[in-house]
Structures are given as structure tokens and as C-alpha cells.
Amino acid sequence: MKELKIQPIKDGTVIDHITPGKALTVLKILGTTGEEGDSVISVAINVSGKSGKKDIVKIENRELDPKEVDKIALVAPNATINIIRNYEVAEKHRVSVPDEIIGIVECSNPNCISNTNEPVETKFIVKSRHPLRIRCYYCEREPEDIPSHIR
Amino acid sequence: MNFKGRDVISIKDFSKEEILHVLDVAEKMLPIAEGRKKSEMLRGSIMSSLFFEPSTRTRLSFEAAMKRLGGDVIGFARPGTTSIQKGETMADTIRTAESYCDVIVMRHPHEGSARMAAEFATVPIINGGDGAGHHPTQCLLDLFTIQREKGSIEGNRVALLGDLKYGRTVHSLSYALSLFGVDMVFIAPPELQMPHEVVEECEELGAHISTATTLEGLEDIDVLYVTRIQKERFPDPEEYNRVAGIYRIDAHTLSEAKEGMIVMHPLPRVNEISPDVDRTPHAAYFRQAFNGVPVRMALLSLVLGATA
Ligand SMILES: [Zn+2]
């Protein structure tokens, strides 16, 4: 727990090694605003770590499903998910981009059907992970700057 | 090969074998498409023809195809008179229409619309063009035309001329021709060259590609596919006139062409092919337009599971 460098939590989830400055975007992608429950959420931005700066997010008393968390890999490809039980890291895994990204990224094509008032969520197929390339399921356009299209 | 219930959204959803099967069925449809033989193959079936954006040629040939096979057609030719104008979503229009019919043919101004419609509909969706996206039946009728005119698709050298950057027809066609290992020459002004991704994809499929900015070496070409250069692409009208002039085809241009060389065009043409080409044996574009009917007949019969 010492390597987390911020105050330990008893139970919950610690997302570590987030790309510096991206912690709030990570929370946004996870749909965690604090309004939806009474978990205590702490955010540390630009913390000095062993390999430069990083952000950290701690969510107390809530274990995030690693699959659900994988989508943060879009903005924080090196993030790790630590499930904490009784102050110990019970599970640890590194995020990886899922095969399909639903409802997080907006299509960069203004004429795409997913950018109209139709009742669909955006959907992207991941073509490659290194480098990250995704393709709109509907119009097949590939957004170049993916983080700027995260809503 | 079973096509029953299948959507036709993009040519990329088809393998080479499936394309050849569609063309085989289209060949069998020719006597019916020409009105020489009567058919009741799709009697009792209804096609919804939903044109969220007008396209007379595509709509008429789909409707002719359905009626030649004894089927019925309902639908609209433009969104103007429908609930779409009142703000109804396409998803709702599709879900309503599908309860009245067995197959939906649609054209829509937004890319990806047909793919989305297919998620809402249980009946097959045939894409009649989605914005700058796909137009698979155009691609199939182009292939059918090459096969009929030249005896086969393989073994031809095909030149694609004009607006290769924005022209969706040429993107799909060059992809499909690559499946057949066809050699291609992409001829376009520098500002309207074929996008890199398309060239790379064709090469990955094994096609041999060369590019040029002027029409040269016509004597080695078997198929010359001409597309319209749109005025809107050029901020300066004089620049448009200059470029359009360079790529204009007339009977004189074709004097060096091989005897059996064919000129194709998705139509409508404006002035990229001079009317004096119409009288040469090279002009294949009106036969190409007719070929839309047997090809669409083939697709309708296949997705509706009808057998001849
Ligand atoms: Zn899109």
C-alpha cells in the first residue's frame, strides 16, 4: 500500500498510474460524479511517482468491475485497478481497451447517423490497441484524436 | 449459400464467392428484367421503398425490380410529405414500415443510417445509399456490367477517372475489384486523388495499383470508369472549369482505345462524357444503368428466400 503514496483506504478501489491530468476524465468515463452514492472519492492529480507524474483515484467501499473500468484505457492506458479489502490489495490488474466502445466516444464525422437525434448510443470497434485505433460501427470513420471526442 | 433474411449494407459484407453468386442470379433474371419473360416469384411480397433523400434512378430501378418479380411496393420518394418532417426519428419510421412489408430498401443522407436501421428492423434492409457511405447495389451492378461486357471481371485493366477522393462509388468498386485481383489505374487531379486508406486496402487485397494525374496509356485499358467532378469541390469556378476540361472524355479521346474498351459511368453525367461518345461502341453506361434492374432483382429474391 505504501506505493500508492496517498492515504490508504480500508475497502474499495484504487485506480493508480492514471495519465497525469486525466483523473477527472476517468471519473467522467466511469460515470462517477459522487452524486450517485455515498462512497468517499479522493482524487490526486499530478502526484510524483517512480516514473514521473501520475493521477490517482480512490473510491471507498465500492469494488469496480474490472471489465467496466477497462474503458478508461482510452485516456489512461497505463492505469492499474487495485481492489482493496481490509487495507490489502486483493486484486490488481492493468486496464486494456475493450473490443467495443459503446457510448463514450462521439463520432468525429458530423454527418454520421450516431450524431443525430436517433435513439442509439455511439459504438466503435477497436481496430488496434498499440497505437489505439477505433472505427465507428455506423459510418466507419476513424477519429484521429480520440480523447477530444470523449463526451 | 443462404442469403435469406440478410441485410445488404456494404459491399464489404460480401465475399468474392457471394458476389459471384449474386451476379449468377442476376444473369438468370435478365429475360425477366427485359420484359421477355413474366415472373411471379415475389408475388405476395411487399417492398418498402424509403427514400429519406431523393434518388430517382435508384428508386425506379428497385421498384421496377420488385414489380418485374410480381411483388408490390409501398413507400415514399422524398421525406417531404411524411412524419419525418414532423421530427420522427428514422428508427421509428423503420419500425413502423417493417410491420407493413417483407423487405426495406432505403436511402438516407447520413452515413451509417442503413447499418443503424438494420439494428431496429427484423426484415432485411437493402442500402440504396447512405450519405457519402455505401451504395452496395451500385457496386454490384458495376461488377455485373464488367462481367457481361468483358466476359469476366478478372484479367481486366480498369482505369478509374475523375473525383476519386469523395466518390463513394469508386471506393467500393476499387475494393470489390481488388477481391478479383484486377489491375487498376487511379486517374485524378492532385486535389481529388484516391484516399490513402483505400489504396492501401486494395494493395493488401492483392491488387496492382498505379496512379496518374492525366489520362495516358489508354491503349492498355479495358474498362474506363468515369465519375463526375463536382463543382462544389472547387472554391474557384475557373479552377473547376480547367480541371473538368482536362478530364472530359469525347470520341476523339477514345481514338487510341482498344476495340473492346468500355466506358462506364454511374450517371447522371453532366459534361464529363461528351454525347459523341454515345454513338461509339465503347459507351456502356446506358446498359450499365439497365443492369441495376437484374442485379436488384437478384438481391430482392435472395434476401426474401425466393427461388426461381
Ligand atoms: Zn460515425
Side-chain angles (χ1 to χ4, degrees):
Chain A
M1 281 308 295
K2 265 181 232 145
E3 81 269 19
L4 291 175
K5 286 202 170 173
I6 49 175
Q7 206 181 9
I9 59 171
K10 181 169 182 281
D11 297 292
T13 308
V14 175
I15 308 172
D16 197 5
H17 302 289
I18 298 170
T19 311
K22 294 293 182 195
L24 295 177
T25 313
V26 163
L27 283 172
K28 196 170 101 180
I29 292 175
L30 292 174
T32 307
T33 61
E35 282 181 349
E36 71 285 351
D38 49 13
S39 298
V40 173
I41 300 167
S42 337
V43 177
I45 295 172
N46 291 334
V47 180
S48 293
K50 269 173 281 184
S51 43
K53 283 182 176 171
K54 63 176 183 178
D55 287 7
I56 303 168
V57 166
K58 297 190 299 173
I59 304 169
E60 289 182 42
N61 299 320
R62 211 178 127 200
E63 293 189 5
L64 296 178
D65 173 7
K67 273 224 142 29
E68 177 64 12
V69 179
D70 267 349
K71 56 195 183 188
I72 71 168
L74 289 175
V75 292
N78 300 316
T80 54
I81 310 298
N82 303 272
I83 303 295
I84 312 294
R85 291 178 195 135
N86 201 20
Y87 297 107
E88 297 287 331
V89 177
E91 286 169 40
K92 182 175 186 133
H93 97 123
R94 198 169 167 161
V95 296
S96 69
V97 178
D99 296 337
E100 277 188 2
I101 299 162
I102 294 168
I104 303 162
V105 181
E106 257 166 21
C107 186
S108 58
N109 173 7
N111 202 43
C112 176
I113 193 73
S114 72
N115 283 325
T116 63
N117 65 344
E118 297 295 335
V120 285
E121 290 206 87
T122 63
K123 182 162 150 185
F124 288 84
I125 311 295
V126 174
K127 286 188 72 191
S128 92
R129 289 181 166 79
H130 306 287
L132 182 60
R133 281 176 67 192
I134 63 175
R135 187 177 65 201
C136 175
Y137 172 75
Y138 296 106
C139 76
E140 300 176 8
R141 180 88 61 98
E142 287 186 28
E144 273 170 24
D145 179 11
I146 298 165
S148 76
H149 291 288
I150 291 173
R151 49 171 164 209
Chain B
M1 218 171 284
N2 191 10
F3 283 80
K4 191 177 176 183
R6 212 169 132 170
D7 301 309
V8 180
I9 309 296
S10 159
I11 194 68
K12 292 185 183 176
D13 300 337
F14 287 80
S15 68
K16 179 181 165 184
E17 288 67 35
E18 288 171 334
I19 290 173
L20 286 170
H21 183 61
V22 174
L23 303 192
D24 274 353
V25 177
E27 188 76 36
K28 296 196 182 87
M29 293 293 182
L30 279 170
I32 310 169
E34 289 162 351
R36 292 185 280 117
K37 196 176 144 189
K38 300 297 171 201
S39 171
E40 294 286 309
M41 197 187 286
L42 295 181
R43 193 196 170 102
S45 293
I46 297 178
M47 175 185 102
S48 274
S49 166
L50 310 182
F51 279 66
F52 298 88
E53 171 187 79
S55 171
T56 310
R57 187 180 325 275
T58 304
R59 184 174 59 84
L60 291 182
S61 74
F62 264 114
E63 295 185 3
M66 191 64 184
K67 292 186 177 193
R68 287 285 197 201
L69 292 173
D72 283 310
V73 178
I74 57 174
F76 50 87
R78 59 184 54 78
T81 53
T82 65
S83 47
I84 296 150
Q85 229 182 14
K86 297 174 196 146
E88 184 179 64
T89 61
M90 181 193 78
D92 282 1
T93 308
I94 294 289
R95 283 180 287 200
T96 310
E98 79 151 343
S99 63
Y100 308 146
C101 69
D102 307 293
V103 58
I104 292 174
V105 169
M106 62 177 282
R107 187 185 186 95
H108 195 281
H110 285 289
E111 284 98 76
S113 50
R115 185 80 69 197
M116 199 198 96
E119 292 194 326
F120 287 97
T122 51
V123 303
I125 298 281
I126 301 181
N127 183 5
D130 59 333
H134 299 289
H135 195 3
T137 61
Q138 175 73 47
C139 186
L140 288 164
L141 78 87
D142 290 342
L143 296 172
F144 186 60
T145 302
I146 296 175
Q147 182 172 282
R148 274 192 84 195
E149 300 277 332
K150 306 299 297 178
S152 73
I153 298 170
E154 270 119 346
N156 290 300
R157 190 168 162 78
V158 180
L160 302 175
L161 177 94
D163 179 356
L164 305 185
K165 185 174 181 186
Y166 300 98
R168 66 174 168 196
T169 312
V170 288
H171 299 168
S172 311
L173 183 61
S174 55
Y175 171 87
L177 288 172
S178 301
L179 296 178
F180 291 85
V182 166
D183 280 2
M184 284 178 275
V185 197
F186 295 156
I187 308 164
E191 53 272 66
L192 295 176
Q193 290 274 346
M194 193 68 96
H196 278 297
E197 316 86 77
V198 179
V199 178
E200 276 166 31
E201 193 169 38
C202 292
E203 285 175 338
E204 276 166 27
L205 289 167
H208 184 267
I209 310 284
S210 52
T211 56
T213 50
T214 53
L215 179 57
E216 280 162 19
L218 193 61
E219 63 280 6
D220 295 325
I221 301 297
D222 301 295
V223 177
L224 176 62
Y225 196 102
V226 182
T227 61
R228 190 148 59 93
I229 294 179
Q230 289 177 306
K231 224 176 218 161
E232 306 88 87
R233 307 289 178 215
F234 293 86
D236 179 357
E238 271 184 40
E239 180 62 10
Y240 162 76
N241 287 333
R242 190 188 66 81
V243 170
I246 295 174
Y247 296 91
R248 185 177 152 91
I249 304 294
D250 58 24
H252 178 72
T253 325
L254 299 181
S255 56
E256 292 167 42
K258 274 190 202 177
E259 199 182 326
M261 193 275 279
I262 56 163
V263 179
M264 292 172 66
H265 190 294
L267 302 181
R269 67 174 154 173
V270 180
N271 50 18
E272 52 280 355
I273 300 176
S274 158
D276 66 6
V277 177
D278 301 359
R279 290 186 296 273
T280 73
H282 302 299
Y285 29 88
F286 296 119
R287 296 191 293 274
Q288 178 187 359
F290 162 76
N291 287 337
V293 178
V295 164
R296 287 166 177 134
M297 289 165 82
L299 285 169
L300 287 167
S301 69
L302 285 166
V303 301
L304 288 170
T307 42

